[in-house]
């Protein structure tokens, strides 16, 4: 569990869950606020509509009955229906109807508003007109005190005031409660049809629904996020397993490409790295085998001659000593070549550069091969143009570059052939081209011609000479000069090696 929590999937899931929770909370808070505002606004509109209907009821009741008693009945019903304290004041300033208290005093007289209430300012006052004439004012308290309750009709008709108004004594038995007039009952029924449910219930129901929907959406979103992150991280798990197996030595590990996104590119990069690593390991093994082979040949020859001399089979004459010396020189050159390659591969090859024209250096490097070329009737020539071009070069390493290329040309050029060394200088730099009329290089061999110990003669006979390191050293030395080397060849048409050294800017 802890590994999942601290893993990438756990962190992504928790991050998405946090974002989802904040989003739902923000939406819920805004929705609740907007709902409350709209509810309050709508409630005010409802209260206004109720007040207008109550005013209409009072006006219609008075017009239909021309009796304040009927208006008292209507006002009491409005108070019971809406929970308001409704007071009706006539144009003379006397209270003629009250939903919570009998409108007349013990003497049957109407009271003024000031006589009845200590604080009349809590009422909202609305004028009531009938046929364009003011008949009074309706005062509404939408939130009366808790101990106040509207009167019922029985409270009104059985009160001592009602008995006094009817001429009966206070001790007389109560008369039956009379029913309101049919016109008043009809008007009240019209008001009842417009009663609205409490908006607070609607707001509470909406908020509960919003809360339930938010929780459900949160769980659903969290589940979807977990599924999506698990699916998205599956290639990463596969890649982790493959990398672990690769580190354990299984170089055949590859992962399926999952597209062109970041993970897909990572998978392709891993596959490329695994292929390069497998090729590097194979190349190292081949290099080890090649080095062992190249070193074994001269060492075996030296060992054989020494054992023969020791056993008295061969005399230690000048010819034998020359043979041993030749094998020793060959072994020394091979070890030196390997040393140079190791230094170059490590990026530690240092050059002692000078600035100037390398014409004389190239010419001096070609000259020692003239005798060997004449012995085999090979035409070896050297030409140059643009001698004024100057570059930065290491004289010893440049001489080694040219020598190795000419040596390679002599090795693969038959008798009566032709080798041409041309040097061309311009503002960009110097081109050194070594052409030979040898057998050429096949198209399949060209990409590997600069590999270590690689020979076009796969039988590895020494008929063509060399250890297969000359062209590799040439490439490393040219690159150390910041230059480029390339080869163009076709089987049967010879080969041309081109070395370009850039001019100093």
């Amino acid at each position: 569990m802890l590994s999942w929590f601290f893993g990438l999937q756990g962190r992504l899931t928790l991050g998405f869950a946090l974002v989802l929770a904040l989003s739902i909370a923000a939406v819920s808070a805004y929705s609740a606020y907007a709902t409350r505002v709209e509810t309050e606004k709508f409630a005010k509109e409802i209260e206004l509509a109720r007040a207008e209907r109550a005013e209409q009821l009072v006006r219609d009741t008075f017009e239909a009955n021309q009796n304040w008693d009927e208006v008292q009945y209507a006002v009491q019903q409005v108070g019971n229906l809406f929970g308001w304290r409704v007071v009706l004041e006539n144009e003379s300033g006397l209270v003629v109807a009250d939903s919570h208290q009998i409108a007349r005093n013990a003497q049957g007289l109407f009271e003024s508003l000031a006589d009845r209430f200590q604080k009349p300012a809590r009422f909202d006052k609305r004028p009531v007109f009938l046929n364009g004439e003011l008949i009074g004012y309706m005062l509404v308290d939408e939130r009366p005190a808790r101990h106040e309750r509207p009167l019922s009709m029985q409270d009104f008709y059985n009160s001592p005031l009602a008995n006094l108004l009817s001429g009966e004594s206070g001790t007389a038995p109560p008369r039956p409660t009379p029913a309101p007039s049919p016109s008043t009952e009809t008007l009240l029924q019209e008001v009842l049809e417009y009663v609205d449910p409490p908006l607070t219930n609607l707001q509470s129901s909406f908020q509960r629904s919003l809360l339930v929907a938010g929780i459900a959406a949160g769980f659903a979103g969290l589940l979807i996020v977990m599924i999506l992150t698990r699916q998205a991280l599956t290639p990463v798990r596969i890649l982790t397993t493959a990398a672990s197996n690769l580190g354990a030595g299984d170089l055949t590990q590859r992962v399926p490409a999952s597209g062109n996104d970041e993970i897909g590119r990572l998978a392709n990069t891993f596959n490329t790295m695994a292929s390069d690593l497998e090729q590097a390991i194979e190349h190292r093994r081949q290099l080890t085998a090649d080095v062992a082979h190249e070193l074994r040949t001269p060492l075996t020859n030296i060992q054989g001659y020494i054992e023969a001399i020791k056993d008295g089979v061969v005399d230690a004459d000048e010819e034998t000593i020359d043979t041993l010396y030749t094998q020793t020189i060959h072994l020394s050159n091979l070890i030196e070549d390997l040393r140079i390659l190791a230094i170059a591969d490590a990026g530690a090859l240092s050059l002692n550069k000078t600035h100037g024209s390398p014409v004389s250096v190239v010419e001096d490097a070609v000259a020692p091969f003239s005798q060997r070329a004449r012995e085999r009737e090979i035409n070896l020539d050297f030409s140059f143009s643009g001698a004024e071009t100057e570059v930065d070069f290491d004289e010893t390493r440049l001489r080694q570059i040219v020598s190795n290329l000419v040596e390679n040309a002599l090795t693969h050029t038959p008798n009566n052939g032709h080798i041409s060394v041309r040097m061309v200088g311009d503002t960009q730099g110097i081109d050194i081209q070594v052409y030979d009329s040898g057998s050429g290089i096949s198209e399949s061999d060209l990409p590997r011609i600069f590999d270590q110990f690689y020979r076009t003669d796969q039988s590895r006979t020494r008929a063509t000479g060399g250890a297969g390191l000359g062209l590799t050293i040439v490439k490393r030395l040219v690159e150390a000069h910041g230059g480029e080397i390339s080869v163009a060849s076709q089987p049967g048409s010879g080969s041309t090696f081109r070395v370009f050294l850039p001019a100093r800017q």
Side-chain angles (χ1 to χ4, degrees):
M1 185 63 183
L2 288 177
S3 61
W4 179 89
F5 183 82
F6 290 104
L8 183 58
Q9 182 181 3
R11 286 181 290 168
L12 287 176
T13 301
L14 292 178
F16 280 121
L18 180 60
V19 172
L20 186 63
L22 292 177
S23 301
I24 293 177
V27 171
S28 300
Y30 176 76
S31 299
Y33 170 76
T35 302
R36 184 174 68 255
V37 171
E38 291 299 323
T39 301
E40 293 175 354
K41 179 180 178 182
F42 190 44
K44 291 180 180 179
E45 294 178 356
I46 290 178
E47 297 297 339
L48 180 61
R50 287 177 176 178
E52 291 177 352
R53 290 199 297 271
E55 180 184 345
Q56 181 68 32
L57 175 63
V58 170
R59 183 169 53 248
D60 293 345
T61 302
F62 184 81
E63 183 180 12
N65 298 281
Q66 296 295 319
N67 189 333
W68 289 115
D69 290 339
E70 293 292 337
V71 175
Q72 172 69 31
Y73 174 79
V75 167
Q76 289 179 202
Q77 293 306 307
V78 170
N80 280 280
L81 185 64
F82 296 148
W84 294 348
R85 177 73 181 268
V86 183
V87 176
L88 189 64
E89 181 186 44
N90 64 11
E91 70 277 7
S92 300
L94 300 177
V95 176
V96 295
D98 190 344
S99 62
H100 284 56
Q101 188 178 351
I102 299 302
R104 304 188 188 193
N105 58 18
Q107 289 76 32
L109 301 176
F110 293 119
E111 298 175 307
S112 66
L113 191 66
D115 294 335
R116 175 159 292 220
F117 298 101
Q118 296 296 326
K119 297 179 180 180
R122 65 180 180 175
F123 291 101
D124 292 332
K125 191 172 184 180
R126 299 172 59 88
V128 180
F129 294 93
L130 178 62
N131 298 325
E133 296 182 2
L134 180 68
I135 62 173
Y137 297 92
M138 187 175 68
L139 294 89
V140 177
D141 183 4
E142 297 180 358
R143 294 175 178 81
R146 292 185 178 181
H147 65 274
E148 297 179 357
R149 66 176 184 85
L151 295 173
S152 65
M153 290 312 301
Q154 188 171 1
D155 291 333
F156 174 71
Y157 285 108
N158 290 336
S159 65
L161 176 61
N163 295 333
L164 178 63
L165 293 175
S166 61
E168 300 178 357
S169 65
T171 59
R175 64 179 183 177
T177 301
S181 65
S183 59
T184 302
E185 193 67 50
T186 301
L187 293 173
L188 283 170
Q189 184 65 33
E190 293 178 357
V191 174
L192 287 172
E193 294 176 356
Y194 288 98
V195 176
D196 303 289
L199 289 180
T200 54
N201 295 342
L202 178 62
Q203 181 179 354
S204 299
S205 176
F206 175 78
Q207 291 178 347
R208 285 194 301 270
S209 301
L210 186 64
L211 179 62
V212 172
I215 294 175
F219 279 110
L222 186 61
L223 179 61
I224 293 174
V225 166
M226 292 180 65
I227 294 174
L228 291 180
T229 52
R230 181 176 180 83
Q231 181 179 2
L233 294 177
T234 297
V236 177
R237 296 189 183 93
I238 296 175
L239 188 62
T240 302
T241 303
S244 178
N245 294 335
L246 185 69
D250 185 3
L251 301 180
T252 62
Q253 287 293 314
R254 301 293 186 274
V255 295
S258 57
N260 294 324
D261 55 1
E262 289 79 2
I263 296 181
R265 290 194 291 271
L266 179 61
N268 292 331
T269 302
F270 175 83
N271 291 336
T272 302
M273 179 197 69
S275 298
D276 292 343
L277 183 59
E278 186 178 17
Q279 185 178 1
I281 296 296
E282 183 62 29
H283 183 68
R284 187 190 66 182
R285 292 172 181 170
Q286 185 64 41
L287 177 62
T288 303
D290 290 339
V291 169
H293 175 81
E294 295 297 334
L295 292 177
R296 184 174 62 248
T297 301
L299 286 175
T300 301
N301 292 335
I302 294 173
Q303 182 181 359
Y305 274 101
I306 292 176
E307 289 178 352
I309 294 173
K310 182 179 179 181
D311 294 338
V313 177
V314 176
D315 296 330
D317 54 14
E318 184 177 355
E319 182 181 356
T320 303
I321 294 175
D322 288 342
T323 303
L324 290 174
Y325 178 75
T326 301
Q327 294 297 322
T328 304
I329 292 299
H330 174 69
L331 183 61
S332 177
N333 291 337
L334 178 59
I335 294 175
E336 177 63 18
D337 289 344
L338 290 174
R339 187 188 70 84
I340 293 174
L341 287 178
I343 295 175
D345 290 339
L349 183 62
S350 60
L351 300 178
N352 185 19
K353 291 184 179 181
T354 59
H355 183 71
S357 174
V359 174
S360 60
V361 177
V362 175
E363 188 174 10
D364 290 344
V366 174
F369 295 95
S370 299
Q371 181 61 32
R372 290 174 55 187
R374 285 194 296 269
E375 291 174 356
R376 296 176 52 193
E377 297 182 353
I378 295 176
N379 182 21
L380 175 61
D381 64 77
F382 170 74
S383 62
F384 65 88
S385 62
E388 65 280 359
T389 303
E390 296 183 348
V391 296
D392 292 331
F393 65 96
D394 185 315
E395 181 176 341
T396 302
R397 299 306 180 185
L398 182 58
R399 194 185 304 273
Q400 189 174 4
I401 291 172
V402 176
S403 298
N404 284 3
L405 291 177
V406 175
E407 178 70 33
N408 181 74
L410 281 172
T411 301
H412 294 90
T413 301
N415 296 341
N416 300 315
H418 178 70
I419 298 175
S420 176
V421 180
R422 295 188 296 270
M423 192 176 73
V424 180
D426 56 24
T427 57
Q428 300 299 319
I430 291 179
D431 259 336
I432 302 174
Q433 300 178 10
V434 179
Y435 164 78
D436 66 75
S437 60
S439 57
I441 305 171
S442 66
E443 185 176 354
S444 61
D445 290 329
L446 276 176
R448 300 189 58 190
I449 197 66
F450 295 106
D451 289 353
Q452 299 179 31
F453 295 106
Y454 184 77
R455 296 179 184 174
T456 57
D457 179 12
Q458 298 299 326
S459 65
R460 299 197 61 84
T461 64
R462 304 197 59 83
T464 58
L469 294 176
L471 293 180
T472 306
I473 292 176
V474 169
K475 186 174 187 297
R476 297 291 194 276
L477 295 179
V478 171
E479 291 174 348
H481 280 81
E484 298 175 355
I485 184 170
S486 60
V487 58
S489 180
Q490 290 184 354
S493 300
S495 305
T496 300
F497 287 84
R498 175 179 174 268
V499 174
F500 173 76
L501 300 179
R504 184 170 68 174
Q505 301 299 323

